[in-house]
Amino acid sequence: MALINRLDSRDPGFASALSKLLAFEATEDESIDRAAAGILADVRTRGDAALVEYTQRFDRMPHVSADTLEIPKADWHAALAALPAAQRDALQAA
């Protein structure tokens, strides 16, 4: 299982490591598209069971259920209302 790369801005090689990381062009890697398409197809086919499995796998949340992943609409609206107007407008436009 791959570990998450962590960068520390205090490290001497931080700028170089960050530049290398940012230089990666995901749109040029077809394997990413294939993997994402496979995941989406699996979630469409198996629904919440697949969603929970991928959440456990990628987010390392071993005791998650589909119910715990759902964010109540009231929380969405509260978070949106708490944003500065410019950020809220940008999210709504997106």
Side-chain angles (χ1 to χ4, degrees):
M1 183 179 296
L3 297 176
I4 295 173
N5 287 333
R6 295 179 187 215
L7 300 178
D8 187 331
S9 61
R10 297 169 293 190
D11 289 343
F14 171 76
S16 174
L18 180 61
S19 292
K20 183 178 177 183
L21 182 64
L22 295 176
F24 174 74
E25 182 57 57
T27 59
E28 299 296 323
D29 191 338
E30 290 181 22
S31 66
I32 293 172
D33 290 338
R34 284 191 303 275
I39 290 168
L40 290 172
D42 193 24
V43 171
R44 283 188 192 108
T45 301
R46 297 189 310 119
D48 287 349
L51 181 66
V52 167
E53 287 177 25
Y54 288 114
T55 300
Q56 291 170 341
R57 178 177 167 193
F58 295 124
D59 298 327
R60 295 187 182 109
M61 296 175 65
H63 304 293
V64 71
S65 70
D67 293 339
T68 61
L69 294 174
E70 186 173 347
I71 300 170
K73 282 189 179 181
D75 291 354
W76 299 359
H77 293 292
L80 189 62
L83 287 174
Q87 288 179 343
R88 185 176 49 249
D89 293 344
L91 281 174
Q92 289 175 324

